[in-house]
Amino acid sequence: MVNTLRIGVLALQGAFIEHIHVLDTLRSTEHISEIIEVRTKAELDRIDALIIPGGESTSIALIAERCGILDDLRAFVQTKPTWGTCAGLILLAKNAIHTKKGGQKLLDALPVTVSRNQFGRQVDSFTIKLATPCLGADAAPFNYVFIRAPAIVSIDDPEVEPLVQLPPGHGQTEASENGLLVAVKYRNMLGTSFHPELTNDSRWHQYFVRMALGTA
């Protein structure tokens, strides 16, 4: 456990700037000493925790491979606090379905199966307010933003802790009849389907920082 954090945001593609902006608002209250855009192994080696943003998961993996850091990312996420949002969740997962033809490279770390683009196209994006106990028992509902989002369709290790489940009827498979999982925690990893960086609510970022510090 560390007293302050150097947090990295993988900055190869996608919504990394938005995450940096949210983290910047938390510097004075959440023990963040530095926020680093990560594109190289040297930058990865400097950080204590990592956010893998939303974007296009296949593109992020390809760019990481071409930059020579895909294997370094695989090693990092096994032991260091890591949060994957949307595309980042797909990359963190051990298994992904409904991927592009030929499949895609994954970091093979979070023992779940993720359905890519579970909720359809951009036009099918939606928001929903849900009570979220892990953010505080008496906390106000969080406004969840889903944009071409994946969903967790199976938990493949009993240590995986479900955090957020949608009400029945959201999603396009039979699994949605029971409500799809959209956030889980596993050891040092946090995986979420939604885009908290596109809201004015920093509570999920606070949760991750406190998780990385060992206080969540």
Side-chain angles (χ1 to χ4, degrees):
M1 188 171 70
V2 294
N3 294 322
T4 61
L5 287 176
R6 289 168 296 181
I7 299 185
V9 182
L10 191 64
L12 302 178
Q13 192 267 346
F16 59 90
I17 289 294
E18 289 82 354
H19 279 287
I20 289 169
H21 288 164
V22 179
L23 291 170
D24 199 46
T25 68
L26 299 176
R27 273 182 185 268
S28 62
T29 59
E30 296 296 330
H31 306 285
I32 298 170
S33 62
E34 192 173 0
I35 303 163
I36 299 169
E37 294 183 16
V38 174
R39 298 183 179 88
T40 66
K41 182 182 185 301
E43 290 159 344
L44 192 64
D45 289 342
R46 289 176 57 201
I47 63 173
D48 305 304
L50 177 68
I51 296 174
I52 305 174
E56 213 293 319
S57 58
T58 307
S59 297
I60 295 172
L62 285 172
I63 297 168
E65 187 173 37
R66 289 170 184 168
C67 291
I69 64 166
L70 187 61
D71 287 338
D72 298 308
L73 285 168
R74 286 190 176 119
F76 183 97
V77 304
Q78 292 295 330
T79 59
K80 297 288 187 72
T82 304
W83 178 16
T85 67
C86 199
L89 165 63
I90 299 170
L91 284 169
L92 266 185
K94 281 184 173 287
N95 300 292
I97 60 175
H98 304 137
T99 59
K100 290 184 176 180
K101 187 177 181 180
Q104 67 178 91
K105 295 183 183 296
L106 303 173
L107 298 180
D108 193 28
L110 181 63
V112 298
T113 299
V114 174
S115 175
R116 187 178 182 272
N117 288 350
Q118 171 70 32
F119 301 99
R121 300 174 181 270
Q122 192 93 5
V123 70
D124 301 309
S125 301
F126 66 96
T127 64
I128 183 172
K129 289 187 176 182
L130 295 172
T132 308
C134 69
L135 300 182
D138 300 319
F142 191 91
N143 189 36
Y144 289 89
V145 177
F146 293 88
I147 302 172
R148 294 181 62 201
I152 299 153
V153 293
S154 76
I155 285 176
D156 304 325
D157 187 300
E159 285 190 52
V160 176
E161 178 185 354
L163 297 178
V164 181
Q165 188 169 22
L166 287 177
H170 289 273
Q172 298 182 1
T173 69
E174 292 179 4
S176 68
E177 293 178 5
N178 298 316
L180 288 163
L181 280 172
V182 292
V184 296
K185 180 181 177 183
Y186 174 72
R187 297 180 182 174
N188 58 297
M189 288 172 261
L190 179 65
T192 63
S193 299
F194 44 88
H195 285 272
E197 77 282 5
L198 299 182
T199 73
N200 294 319
D201 192 332
S202 62
R203 284 180 291 164
W204 273 103
H205 289 79
Q206 289 175 315
Y207 180 87
F208 176 64
V209 171
R210 292 169 186 177
M211 173 183 149
L213 288 168
T215 59

